[in-house]
Amino acid sequence: MDTHKHKCYMRKIIYIFIWAMGCIGCQDYLSINPDSSLEVKIDSEEKIAELLTAAYPTASYCSFLEARTDNVAERIKGEHTRLNEAMYFWEDYDQEDLDTPLNYWNACYTGIAQANKALELLAAYPKTERVKALYAEAFLLRAYLHFMLVNIWAEPYGTHKSAQSPGIPYLTKPEKNALVNYSRGTVKEVYEKIETDLKLGITLVNDNFYANPKFHFNQKAAYAFASRFYLMKGEWQQVIAYADYVLGYTPHKLLRKWGDGYRVNRALASSYAASSEPANLLLVTTESRLAREVNKQKYGSTIDIINHIYDTRGIDGCSGYTKLKMQVFFPFVQSPGNILDGYYMPKFSELSLLGASGTKPRGVYVTNVLFTTDEVMLNRMEAYAMTGQYDRAVTDLQDYLQAKFSMELPCVRQDYTWTNSNNYAIYTPFYGLTIKQLALLKTITDFRQKEFLHEGLRWFDIRRFYLPVTRTSKSSLYRPLEKEDLRKVLQIPVEAINRGLQPNPR
């Protein structure tokens, strides 16, 4: 762990401990007690800044979302956990533990409460540049946390149902009464509120007040978030505008270089989430067992899965390059012990202050990368394609391959914009596609899957493109995940349902 990460981690753990002592109720937002007034006296701008530092999600979504994707299969002799199995078979799971949906739900609403408390406190301060920057961080955090919640626990944006389908509660003030009747609103309404907060945050964001900008919503991270938000909405010009700011005139200098340093230096776990990596824009430290479980879980990445994702896909219209052998560029490692079919990338480095051990240890921490320049460039490629700027999309793709893998393909430009029309049955977003758009979208989505293996982001593409997922399983629990499948929306936590929150249909 580099110095910046370690300092941020230590500060964050201290703040979380202080807040936990002051407000046990905030650990179970929308399930037990939504009181965010807390016992700690906040009487300075610095303490408000500390409150916001502790508002970043302390739980990880990677493990429970990744197991739901087509990035995983059954590993022979892998270690079984009920959570891993439930996610693999798209079952509802409501137990409280690290890396669970419930843990992430609670962490998001805890962070939202703290952002709302910060906004309430900031109203008493003169609107100096420092205070404006704190407003920005609070607005951006509130927007991001609600964005993640709505994209896990509600229908995808943009369907014919999105104006009516239930969203998630959007909280804009600290609650002091446990008996609050929350309304889910609609997906459309939630997106409108996210957009309002996002725009406010972007208007005010200021990097000058961050000692370690990559552990806060710095300006580039905020714009990266905007590029993802508008990608989900299908507002392509907005995606391009925000991506342009992040990438600048020399995007090749900002991308993660898989083809050289990461392949030569096998110490991926310590370098992938480093603040010194130019591709990393926003980092958070989460309490998670991901680093010790990703290599040995029963349902995880296998040799066959990796071969399929990395070596069987390429440029459909380019003869001789319809299958690109990309696996060689990534630092894969075989699973330990008797798990002979397990294959994974050691992206996660664990820090344990307590020497945690046992079957379900606590006090183990992993740094998650929330936004990268790689994602932003893939977002811009997609937006270029969807606005008919095919040459620019192809140029971005060629630059991406050259910068990250030193790869130059002898394909002419029109090769990138052809694919079999049968793919129309696979990729079905809420907007229409020309054959050129379909070809580029398929290629870009394939590279996004390669780039973010183990990180859970594939789940969002499965949702927004309505991709089916099949398993080679004989388990009685197994039913294929269909294109429009109710199991693509996680169930609201039981305690929240018991308090009156509308459950998702099953």
Side-chain angles (χ1 to χ4, degrees):
M1 177 174 282
D2 63 43
T3 302
H4 286 171
K5 287 164 62 180
H6 182 70
K7 287 181 179 177
C8 179
Y9 165 77
M10 293 303 296
R11 290 171 61 202
K12 192 164 192 176
I13 296 305
I14 292 168
Y15 299 151
I16 292 169
F17 176 78
I18 291 171
W19 284 97
M21 295 301 99
C23 180
I24 299 300
C26 70
Q27 297 304 311
D28 290 306
Y29 258 78
L30 303 186
S31 62
I32 297 177
N33 185 349
D35 183 5
S36 64
S37 59
L38 308 179
E39 302 287 341
V40 181
K41 186 176 182 180
I42 312 271
D43 54 6
S44 70
E45 292 177 16
E46 185 57 36
K47 288 182 180 178
I48 296 174
E50 293 172 0
L51 171 60
L52 288 172
T53 297
Y56 287 85
T58 57
S60 175
Y61 56 80
C62 298
S63 188
F64 73 84
L65 290 186
E66 186 73 5
R68 303 176 75 86
T69 73
D70 52 356
N71 289 342
V72 298
E74 183 173 353
R75 291 168 170 164
I76 299 171
K77 298 184 180 180
E79 294 185 8
H80 174 271
T81 66
R82 182 67 189 103
L83 169 65
N84 184 228
E85 179 183 69
M87 295 299 99
Y88 183 73
F89 291 114
W90 311 292
E91 294 182 289
D92 294 337
Y93 186 89
D94 200 57
Q95 299 301 307
E96 186 171 4
D97 194 10
L98 300 186
D99 300 307
T100 63
L102 178 60
N103 194 42
Y104 189 70
W105 168 281
N106 287 338
C108 285
Y109 275 113
T110 299
I112 289 164
Q114 293 168 199
N116 285 334
K117 187 64 180 178
L119 290 168
E120 180 183 70
L121 294 166
L122 286 168
Y125 288 80
K127 301 303 182 285
T128 62
E129 293 303 306
R130 166 65 162 161
V131 168
K132 289 178 183 177
L134 292 172
Y135 267 110
E137 189 168 17
F139 283 128
L140 289 166
L141 270 167
R142 190 167 74 181
Y144 171 74
L145 294 170
H146 282 109
F147 175 80
M148 294 302 292
L149 287 164
V150 78
N151 278 287
I152 296 173
W153 280 276
E155 289 279 345
Y157 180 88
T159 67
H160 63 283
K161 300 181 292 184
S162 65
Q164 291 83 34
S165 58
I168 45 91
Y170 203 100
L171 308 188
T172 57
K173 61 181 180 180
E175 299 291 356
K176 298 178 175 61
N177 187 340
L179 302 177
V180 175
N181 293 321
Y182 293 105
S183 169
R184 292 184 64 175
T186 67
V187 171
K188 183 174 182 292
E189 289 168 345
V190 171
Y191 264 73
E192 288 170 351
K193 292 174 181 177
I194 292 170
E195 186 169 21
T196 297
D197 280 348
L198 176 59
K199 286 182 175 179
L200 285 169
I202 283 176
T203 300
L204 300 171
V205 66
N206 189 332
D207 293 359
N208 293 331
F209 300 99
Y210 296 140
N212 301 299
K214 289 190 177 182
F215 291 93
H216 299 268
F217 255 115
N218 58 78
Q219 196 164 27
K220 284 194 172 184
Y223 278 56
F225 172 29
S227 81
R228 185 191 293 180
F229 174 78
Y230 287 110
L231 190 81
M232 295 288 192
K233 287 191 74 180
E235 295 187 14
W236 314 116
Q237 293 294 353
Q238 294 273 45
V239 175
I240 293 167
Y242 285 110
D244 283 348
Y245 174 83
V246 175
L247 299 172
Y249 295 105
T250 55
H252 63 279
K253 295 181 179 180
L254 304 175
L255 302 180
R256 194 181 307 275
K257 307 299 191 290
W258 282 117
D260 47 36
Y262 280 98
R263 186 61 185 168
V264 174
N265 175 17
R266 301 286 287 191
L268 175 61
S270 62
S271 54
Y272 185 79
S275 60
S276 57
E277 167 57 61
N280 293 336
L281 300 176
L282 181 61
L283 307 169
V284 295
T285 300
T286 63
E287 189 179 12
S288 169
R289 302 187 193 109
L290 185 59
R292 61 177 63 187
E293 292 184 346
V294 69
N295 62 343
K296 61 184 181 181
Q297 289 173 316
K298 184 174 182 64
Y299 303 104
S301 53
T302 64
I303 292 174
D304 287 345
I305 285 285
I306 297 305
N307 288 342
H308 178 70
I309 294 172
Y310 289 83
D311 288 351
T312 69
R313 300 169 181 176
I315 312 303
D316 286 358
C318 189
S319 179
Y321 295 90
T322 57
K323 295 182 180 180
L324 294 175
K325 303 292 185 181
M326 300 293 295
Q327 187 177 156
V328 67
F329 294 107
F330 293 85
F332 286 103
V333 177
Q334 188 169 336
S335 292
N338 295 324
I339 311 173
L340 302 180
D341 57 345
Y343 216 40
Y344 73 103
M345 266 192 279
K347 287 183 172 181
F348 308 101
S349 180
E350 180 182 295
L351 175 63
S352 172
L353 295 183
L354 306 176
S357 60
T359 57
K360 291 187 176 182
R362 304 297 293 249
V364 289
Y365 299 89
V366 170
T367 300
N368 290 157
V369 183
L370 298 190
F371 290 102
T372 66
T373 55
D374 300 294
E375 181 193 352
V376 172
M377 193 158 188
L378 289 162
N379 293 348
R380 188 171 73 176
M381 284 181 221
E382 189 174 325
Y384 277 150
M386 294 308 302
T387 53
Q389 300 181 73
Y390 304 125
D391 275 349
R392 289 187 173 185
V394 171
T395 296
D396 263 6
L397 180 55
Q398 290 174 332
D399 289 348
Y400 178 89
L401 293 174
Q402 172 61 37
K404 295 175 68 63
F405 310 107
S406 300
M407 180 181 289
E408 292 186 22
L409 302 179
C411 308
V412 297
R413 285 183 170 264
Q414 57 263 36
D415 291 342
Y416 293 90
T417 56
W418 181 90
T419 191
N420 193 307
S421 60
N422 290 340
N423 285 314
Y424 274 121
I426 301 174
Y427 297 86
T428 53
F430 71 88
Y431 41 84
L433 298 169
T434 68
I435 192 69
K436 291 182 177 181
Q437 290 167 340
L438 177 64
L440 284 164
L441 185 148
K442 177 181 178 294
T443 301
I444 293 163
T445 303
D446 286 346
F447 278 105
R448 188 181 283 115
Q449 185 176 15
K450 294 177 178 66
E451 186 69 41
F452 301 112
L453 184 78
H454 305 320
E455 297 179 61
L457 295 185
R458 173 67 173 174
W459 181 244
F460 301 116
D461 281 351
I462 287 171
R463 280 168 45 91
R464 71 190 182 102
F465 294 133
Y466 295 88
L467 302 178
V469 180
T470 58
R471 312 285 199 206
T472 54
S473 174
K474 297 180 181 179
S475 170
S476 61
L477 300 173
Y478 171 64
R479 284 187 300 114
L481 194 69
E482 307 294 346
K483 291 182 70 63
E484 295 194 47
D485 197 309
L486 295 177
R487 294 171 296 169
K488 287 185 176 178
V489 180
L490 271 68
Q491 185 56 277
I492 300 295
V494 170
E495 287 295 333
I497 294 172
N498 290 342
R499 284 197 167 274
L501 211 60
Q502 177 185 352
N504 289 322
R506 281 293 180 265

